[in-house]
Amino acid sequence: MAQVLFLGGLGRSGTTLVERLLGELPGMCALGEVVHLWQRDLRDNERCGCGSRFSGCTFWRRVGDLAFNGWTNVDVDRVHALRDAVERTRHIPRLASATTATAEVREYASYYARVYTAAAQVSGCPVVIDSSKHSALAHVLRWADDIDLRVVHVVRDARGVAYSWTKTVSRPETDGTDEMTRYSPGRSALLWNAHNAAFGLLARRGVPVRRIRYEEFLADPRAGLLRLADFAGVTLHQEDLDFLRPSHADLRVGHSAAGNPMRFTVGRLPLRRDDAWKRALPSSQRRLVGAVCGPMLRAYGYPINVEAR
């Protein structure tokens, strides 16, 4: 049975940073956003975090061989059809209230379970990390028969998330030909509410969920990693955190299948909070996001009124 640490939350909340740091720990292997593996990697042959095209990455080739006797045996159209049938935000109420899983849910979850199990064998790590973030996928995975699922719910101030979604960010894995999705502050505020509420619902369904705030994690990443390793059942020694420095982390090459451009960073990664939104997000948009997300911001311990600086 593969032990899976699933990083969830709305995009631009810091999950890639958390994943990269967790991936440096012994016994833990970061896989990136596995939810995108079927299209971006199998179909589009985009770049792995190691820099190689997916088809040329030895790590992922071995995973495919173990999981499916080769990636060519995966029916991507079938995976996409299952995704559309069960893994959508609108399906979460049905997934959360179900007492048994449908055949489609179990089949879709089985594709992920096979990837996780194979990745654990290839890497030799008892814990694999999936930073897919999607709340609907997390609800699907609770029905997987062959995984031990634990969820890290990463929360960031909704106004910081909203500002990040307005920025233009290129996707290096497409060699500069594509950009990451952008949302308006109003749209991202609604998504922030929906996805974060979905992870609260997952916890009430008996799945182990540990919530962390991006801002607190970056204030003391060493303590944050120790707590998350304990949650994952991994025992650390002080020397296991030697890659952490007062203001940066020293990262090795990883094999992230998809995700934020940070997954390509090797060497020094600065560890500092991105609070540019406090001066760059217009006050009208800060107030809009604060109003839409107010109840949950309060519940997570964020101030409603934030002065620009």
Side-chain angles (χ1 to χ4, degrees):
M1 179 174 289
Q3 185 168 321
V4 180
L5 197 65
F6 186 95
L7 304 188
L10 183 60
R12 313 297 178 90
S13 295
T15 51
T16 303
L17 171 66
V18 175
E19 180 200 29
R20 290 304 313 271
L21 298 184
L22 283 171
E24 293 295 317
L25 301 178
M28 305 184 78
C29 177
L31 304 180
E33 298 177 11
V34 181
V35 70
H36 296 303
L37 180 147
W38 320 105
Q39 179 63 44
R40 296 182 183 177
D41 296 307
L42 295 189
R43 278 273 173 84
D44 299 339
N45 198 29
E46 293 185 356
R47 296 190 185 278
C48 169
C50 69
S52 299
R53 293 288 181 183
F54 182 80
S55 61
C57 175
T58 302
F59 173 82
W60 283 108
R61 188 183 304 121
R62 293 175 63 196
V63 170
D65 288 343
L66 272 175
F68 304 103
N69 198 27
W71 291 114
T72 56
N73 290 315
V74 176
D75 184 346
V76 177
D77 288 334
R78 176 59 179 169
V79 176
H80 286 171
L82 290 168
R83 176 201 62 194
D84 293 340
V86 304
E87 197 245 300
R88 286 288 186 262
T89 303
R90 65 178 178 271
H91 298 317
I92 289 176
R94 184 179 67 197
L95 289 167
S97 61
T99 55
T100 59
T102 66
E104 288 182 320
V105 167
R106 291 194 180 277
E107 183 183 355
Y108 186 58
S110 73
Y111 280 94
Y112 289 85
R114 292 166 75 174
V115 171
Y116 299 146
T117 301
Q121 292 182 44
V122 171
S123 66
C125 294
V127 178
V128 295
I129 307 163
D130 181 354
S131 61
S132 288
K133 294 188 286 291
H134 292 197
S135 51
L137 178 56
H139 278 269
V140 167
L141 291 176
R142 80 181 178 103
W143 295 106
D145 295 323
D146 303 322
I147 68 171
D148 173 2
L149 177 66
R150 305 181 193 189
V151 175
V152 177
H153 177 199
V154 183
V155 176
R156 182 185 179 191
D157 192 304
R159 290 148 299 193
V161 173
Y163 173 65
S164 184
W165 277 112
T166 66
K167 296 192 292 185
T168 300
V169 181
S170 64
R171 297 182 59 231
E173 57 267 49
T174 65
D175 295 332
T177 62
D178 201 1
E179 296 177 348
M180 297 182 72
T181 303
R182 297 172 67 191
Y183 291 131
S184 68
R187 174 64 172 163
S188 65
L190 293 173
L191 291 172
W192 190 89
N193 277 341
H195 284 280
N196 287 319
F199 282 102
L201 188 59
L202 188 69
R204 292 196 289 274
R205 294 298 176 267
V207 176
V209 177
R210 175 71 56 88
R211 182 187 302 132
I212 65 170
R213 297 200 317 178
Y214 158 82
E215 297 83 358
E216 289 182 348
F217 181 84
L218 269 180
D220 191 350
R222 180 177 294 266
L225 287 175
L226 286 170
R227 286 192 290 268
L228 290 180
D230 181 68
F231 177 62
V234 173
T235 301
L236 297 182
H237 303 285
Q238 285 301 320
E239 58 269 23
D240 295 330
L241 297 171
D242 285 348
F243 69 96
L244 284 179
R245 306 298 180 185
S247 60
H248 72 275
D250 293 316
L251 302 182
R252 298 169 295 178
V253 173
H255 290 287
S256 173
N260 185 288
M262 185 187 294
R263 69 194 181 93
F264 294 105
T265 300
V266 177
R268 178 170 294 200
L269 175 70
L271 297 177
R272 59 174 181 269
R273 281 174 47 170
D274 181 5
D275 287 334
W277 64 271
K278 292 182 179 179
R279 60 181 180 277
L281 188 66
S283 59
S284 60
Q285 295 180 358
R286 285 203 311 274
R287 289 193 296 269
L288 170 65
V289 177
V292 173
C293 302
M296 293 186 68
L297 283 169
R298 290 190 187 93
Y300 295 150
Y302 290 106
I304 300 302
N305 298 313
V306 178
E307 296 296 326
R309 64 179 184 179

